Amino acid sequence: MRARLLVLSGPLKDSAIPLSDDEVTIGREASNGIAVADPSVSRKHCSISSQDGRFRVRDFESRNGTLVNGTRVEEQWLRHGDEIAAGDSSFLFLVGDQDVPPGAGRVEFEDSRATAETTIIHPKDVVYLQPDRLLRELPGTSHVARNLNALLKISRIVHAIRDVNELQGQLLDLIFEVVPASRGAILLADREGHEFNSMFARMRQAGKAPLVKVSRTVARQVLEQGIAILGSDVLNSRDLRQVESLAASQVRSLLCVPLTVFQRVIGCIYLDSDSLNRRFHEEHLQLVTAIAGISAVALENARRLQWLEDENQRLTMEIGQERSLVGEGVRMKAVYEFLKRVAPTEATILIEGESGTGKELAARAIHRNSPRAGKPFVAINCAAIPESLLESDLFGHERGAFTGAGVQKKGRFEVADGGVVFLDEIGELAPSLQVKLLRVLQEREFERVGGTHPIKVDIRLLAATNCKLEQAVRDGKFRHDLYYRLAVLQITMPALRERREDIPMLARHFMQKHAKRCKVKPRPVSREALACLVQYDWPGNVRELENAIEHALVLGSSEMILPEDLPESLLELDPPPEVAQAKYHAAIKQLKKQLIRDAVEQTQGSYASAARILGVHPNYLHRLIRNLELKESLKDALRDIPARNLTGLSGGNA
C-alpha cells in the first residue's frame, strides 16, 4: 500500500511526498522530514507516523494548530482523502496500491532547421492508416505483420491507462520495442497550441531520468504544420550536424511526428538514435506516425482527466478552507473538543450563538468528520423562506397539491437522505411546522404536501439558533417536546468579543482569502490597526470582522493595513493608550460627539427626537452613543432638566 501527501497550498504546492513506515515530522526547521518555509507553521508543527498499515497525525502543541478536514486535532488516524492543514500549508492524504511510475526526464530545446535532406510525410500518406493499401502489401511483407501486432498492443494498453505520466512512459517503452530509438520524448502543447507546457523523456536503457535534447525548430514545425519529419543521417546533414548538443550526444537519426486530435495538433513524439547500424528510415516514420494517431486521443483524455482531478481537489480544498473554523484560544479549543467527540455519533445537536459566530461552520465540521461525510449536507435557513413556501421546501409536494404544483417535487429532507440536514434559525419555525418536524425526529418519516403515503428518510439533524430557545419555550413560542428532541447535545458558539486572542489569526485568514478572491496582494495588518480590531466589541462577530478586513484590503492604499483603512465604526472608540490616533479621525470623533450632545440637549433628552434631528435611525444613534462613550456625559449635561423629560436616559433606550 502506497501512502503519500499531495501538497495543495503553501510553499511546497503541487509536490507529492511519499510516506514510509518511519515517522516524518512537518515544521519550519530544516531538520524536519518535511520542511515548510512558512512563518505560520511552527518550528516543529506535527508528525505523521505509521502503525499496522495505518497512518495517524499528531500535533506538537503548535501555535496555529493542526487541522484535519477543518477541525483542530491533537492526534487522529487518517483516512484516504483527509485534508491536513498546518498554518497556511495544506496536504491531501492519499493511499493507493499502484507503484509510482518511473520519473520523467528533462527536455532541452536546441534551434535547428529541417532541410531538403530530411523526409517529410503527411498523415494521409501513412500506409498503416490505409487499410486497403495495407492488405495489398501484407502478403509479401513480413515486418508489416509484426508492426500490426505492435499497433494492436499499443492500442489495447494506451486506452487502459488514466495517469498521463504513466501513459507517456508506457507509450515510449512500447515504441522502443519496435523502433531502434536510444532516447524519446513526448511534448504536449498548451490549450492554444502555441507552446509546449508538458515534456516527458525516457531512455531505452533504464536508469535515472535523462536529459533529452530536442531541436526546437523541428518540434515547432511539427506542431504548427502537423507534419512528421525524419532526419535519417544527422552527421551528414548540413544543418543538423552543426547542433552541438546533437553532436555531443552522437545522434545519428532524428524523428518527430505530430499528435493530432480532431484535426488539432496537441503535441509531438520525438525520437533519436545514436547507432550507426540502426538508423531510422521511412518505415519507422510510417509506424511512429500511426502510433501517434492511435495514442493522441488517449493522451489528451488522460491530460484533461488529470486537470479535472487537480481542479476538483483545489476547489474542494478552497471550499474546505473557507468553511473551516479558525481560532486557537481557550473557548475555541473547547469547541473543537466538543465537535471531535460528537461528530462520529448520530446524536441531534443544537448549536446556539449570536449571528456571525460560525454556527453553520460548526455544523459542516461535524458533517465532514462523521460517517455521513460522503453524503449530502443540506442547509436550510428557516427565517429566509416564507412560511407558505417552507413546508413544500422541507417536505416536497405532490403534483396538483396546490395551484402551481404542476409536477411532483422532492423536499430537502428527501434530498438529504443518508446525509445531514442543518436547520438554521430554528426558533423562527412556525408552530404548524414544528409539529411536522417533531414527527421527523421521532419516526424519521413524513408526507409530502398533498401526499397520503409516508416517506422514510435516514438523516441526522443539526439545528442552530441565535435566540434562547429555553426562553421561547417558557413564552409558549416554541414546543417544549421539540426543544428537548433538538437539544440532545448542545453547544454555544462564543462571540468574538469573548475570544479576542483569535482576532489576529482570523484577520490573517481573511486577508489571504480575500486577497486571492479580489486578485490583490495580501498586506500585513499594522500594529495600530490590529489594536483597533482587538479593542472593538464586534456586534456582528466573525462575519463583521471578515467584512472589515475585505473593506480595508480593497480601499487601503499603503503597503500595510492602517487604522484609517478600517470601517469608520471601528474608529469611533477611543484608541488604546499605545496607539496614537490620526488628527483627522480625532477631529471627526469630536464633531460627532458635539452634534449628538447638541441634539439631545435640544430635545431635552429624547433620543428618538434627537435621531430625527440628526437624520439617523434611533438604533444607529444608540450605537454611536455607546461607541463614543457618551452616556455618562449626556446624563451630566442633562442633570438639571426635569426627570419627566429624560425620556431616553432610562430603561433600555441607552
Side-chain angles (χ1 to χ4, degrees):
M1 181 171 64
R2 180 168 59 95
R4 60 201 183 279
L5 294 177
L6 178 65
V7 186
L8 300 177
S9 64
L12 303 178
K13 183 181 179 182
D14 296 332
S15 60
I17 304 170
L19 298 175
S20 64
D21 293 337
D22 298 328
E23 183 179 43
V24 60
T25 59
I26 300 174
R28 198 169 68 245
E29 288 184 346
S31 59
N32 290 282
I34 302 175
V36 183
D38 183 348
S40 64
V41 175
S42 298
R43 289 186 175 88
K44 203 166 187 179
H45 200 102
C46 62
S47 71
I48 297 177
S49 57
S50 172
Q51 181 179 338
D52 298 329
R54 299 177 65 195
F55 287 82
R56 63 181 173 186
V57 63
R58 180 163 60 94
D59 183 66
F60 291 144
E61 297 183 355
S62 58
R63 184 177 75 255
N64 292 332
T66 301
L67 281 66
V68 175
N69 298 327
T71 301
R72 188 164 180 160
V73 301
E74 295 179 2
E75 186 172 343
Q76 181 167 314
W77 291 105
L78 295 173
R79 298 177 296 182
H80 177 76
D82 279 348
E83 298 166 6
I84 306 166
D88 294 330
S89 295
S90 57
F91 309 84
L92 188 67
F93 176 74
L94 300 173
V95 180
D97 296 326
Q98 296 180 349
D99 295 331
V100 179
R106 294 188 298 119
V107 172
E108 181 178 297
F109 282 107
E110 290 290 340
D111 294 321
S112 62
R113 297 197 310 272
T115 68
E117 296 165 313
T118 62
T119 302
I120 295 177
I121 187 173
H122 285 274
K124 61 184 178 63
D125 298 325
V126 177
V127 65
Y128 290 103
L129 298 181
Q130 303 178 55
D132 294 338
R133 181 179 172 187
L134 187 61
L135 289 174
R136 288 196 302 270
E137 295 189 22
L138 185 59
T141 314
S142 60
H143 62 267
V144 173
R146 182 202 65 188
N147 292 342
L148 281 176
N149 286 331
L151 289 173
L152 181 59
K153 182 178 179 181
I154 290 174
S155 179
R156 287 200 309 264
I157 292 178
V158 298
H159 292 289
I161 299 174
R162 298 174 60 183
D163 181 79
V164 66
N165 282 339
E166 183 183 356
L167 176 57
Q168 292 177 103
Q170 288 271 21
L171 184 57
L172 288 175
D173 288 342
L174 291 169
I175 290 175
F176 290 151
E177 292 182 8
V178 293
V179 177
S182 303
R183 291 169 292 271
I186 296 178
L187 314 175
L188 299 178
D190 56 25
R191 292 189 175 184
E192 290 74 27
H194 299 321
E195 298 294 337
F196 295 109
N197 64 351
S198 172
M199 291 168 277
F200 187 100
R202 182 160 290 183
M203 300 283 287
R204 172 181 288 274
Q205 295 180 348
K208 67 178 183 179
L211 172 63
V212 175
K213 295 185 181 295
V214 175
S215 170
R216 185 189 303 274
T217 304
V218 170
R220 287 204 61 83
Q221 185 177 353
V222 171
L223 179 66
E224 294 172 359
Q225 299 181 19
I227 57 176
I229 296 177
L230 168 66
S232 58
D233 191 351
V234 172
L235 292 182
N236 293 322
S237 168
R238 184 175 61 255
D239 295 315
L240 294 180
R241 67 185 178 187
Q242 302 300 322
V243 180
E244 295 182 2
S245 59
L246 297 179
S249 303
Q250 297 183 333
V251 174
R252 300 293 191 264
S253 297
L254 185 95
L255 192 155
C256 191
V257 301
L259 292 161
T260 306
V261 176
F262 301 125
Q263 299 182 348
R264 181 174 65 90
V265 181
I266 65 166
C268 61
I269 298 176
Y270 164 86
L271 301 170
D272 69 27
S273 172
D274 56 7
S275 173
L276 287 170
N277 300 323
R278 294 187 298 171
R279 296 179 181 176
F280 300 147
H281 47 74
E282 188 171 347
E283 181 191 347
H284 297 130
L285 181 63
Q286 294 268 354
L287 179 59
V288 177
T289 305
I291 291 173
I294 292 174
S295 56
V297 173
L299 284 166
E300 178 71 354
N301 288 342
R303 186 165 60 156
R304 286 183 177 274
L305 180 62
Q306 178 175 299
W307 181 86
L308 289 172
E309 290 177 345
D310 292 344
E311 183 70 3
N312 182 55
Q313 289 175 348
R314 184 189 68 79
L315 293 174
T316 301
M317 187 61 192
E318 187 174 298
I319 292 171
Q321 288 176 337
E322 290 186 3
R323 296 179 175 179
S324 297
L325 293 166
V326 177
E328 60 179 7
V330 175
R331 296 295 302 272
M332 288 307 296
K333 285 182 178 178
V335 170
Y336 296 145
E337 181 62 27
F338 176 85
L339 298 181
K340 178 182 176 181
R341 296 178 64 180
V342 304
T345 71
E346 288 293 311
T348 302
I349 300 170
L350 178 62
I351 306 172
E352 294 185 322
E354 297 178 8
S355 178
T357 52
K359 298 185 291 295
E360 183 172 345
L361 295 182
R364 290 185 180 276
I366 292 172
H367 173 248
R368 281 199 305 271
N369 293 276
S370 74
R372 297 175 180 264
K375 300 296 183 178
F377 178 91
V378 178
I380 306 157
N381 190 319
C382 299
I385 304 174
E387 180 183 344
S388 58
L389 302 177
L390 185 57
E391 182 178 6
S392 173
D393 193 60
L394 290 175
F395 306 109
H397 62 253
E398 299 289 350
R399 180 180 180 182
F402 50 83
T403 303
V407 295
Q408 184 191 76
K409 175 195 170 184
K410 289 185 177 181
R412 300 287 190 96
F413 285 116
E414 203 169 346
V415 170
D417 189 27
V420 172
V421 172
F422 173 63
L423 294 177
D424 199 6
E425 305 297 348
I426 189 71
E428 302 297 324
L429 199 63
S432 60
L433 294 181
Q434 292 179 27
V435 177
K436 293 195 171 186
L437 179 59
L438 181 63
R439 182 187 175 191
V440 174
L441 285 171
Q442 290 175 333
E443 308 295 338
R444 291 297 192 269
E445 69 176 26
F446 61 90
E447 293 177 3
R448 296 194 189 106
V449 177
T452 57
H453 300 290
I455 299 172
K456 287 281 187 181
V457 287
D458 172 25
I459 59 169
R460 182 182 185 181
L461 189 70
L462 307 177
T465 179
N466 61 6
C467 65
K468 291 293 183 181
L469 280 190
E470 285 185 285
Q471 184 61 45
V473 171
R474 288 193 289 269
D475 295 342
K477 297 179 181 178
F478 201 84
R479 294 180 63 95
H480 65 88
D481 47 1
L482 177 58
Y483 169 74
Y484 293 121
R485 283 283 184 179
L486 291 172
V488 176
L489 294 173
Q490 197 168 352
I491 185 174
T492 300
M493 298 298 294
L496 186 55
R497 60 183 172 275
E498 298 171 354
R499 55 183 189 108
R500 297 179 189 271
E501 66 275 15
D502 292 332
I503 290 177
M505 180 186 294
L506 285 162
R508 186 175 68 248
H509 170 76
F510 292 135
M511 179 64 66
Q512 294 290 337
K513 171 183 173 181
H514 289 291
K516 184 175 181 180
R517 178 173 294 172
C518 299
K519 297 181 180 179
V520 297
K521 182 181 179 181
R523 289 175 293 179
V525 181
S526 68
R527 182 178 62 86
E528 295 80 8
L530 188 59
C532 293
L533 294 176
V534 173
Q535 183 192 24
Y536 186 60
D537 274 346
W538 299 108
N541 291 293
V542 179
R543 188 179 294 120
E544 185 182 3
L545 172 61
E546 180 175 4
N547 293 340
I549 295 298
E550 185 177 8
H551 175 280
L553 179 66
V554 173
L555 297 182
S557 56
S558 59
E559 291 298 319
M560 57 172 35
I561 300 299
L562 301 175
E564 52 263 34
D565 299 326
L566 299 173
E568 194 165 336
S569 58
L570 274 71
L571 305 178
E572 291 168 351
L573 295 172
D574 288 333
E578 68 273 13
V579 177
Q581 190 174 32
K583 290 183 179 180
Y584 170 79
H585 293 292
I588 292 293
K589 187 184 299 183
Q590 290 303 319
L591 178 60
K592 287 182 179 180
K593 288 182 178 181
Q594 190 59 50
L595 287 172
I596 292 171
R597 288 194 191 100
D598 292 345
V600 173
E601 289 179 5
Q602 181 180 344
T603 59
Q604 296 185 330
S606 171
Y607 283 6
S609 300
R612 282 195 296 271
I613 291 175
L614 295 171
V616 299
H617 193 279
N619 291 343
Y620 181 66
L621 178 60
H622 285 301
R623 197 204 76 185
L624 285 173
I625 292 172
R626 181 176 64 253
N627 288 348
L628 296 171
E629 298 178 345
L630 281 173
K631 185 175 180 181
E632 294 302 322
S633 63
L634 288 175
K635 283 185 177 181
D636 292 339
L638 300 172
R639 196 181 302 275
D640 297 332
I641 297 177
R644 65 177 180 274
N645 291 329
L646 303 183
T647 57
L649 298 177
S650 60
N653 292 332

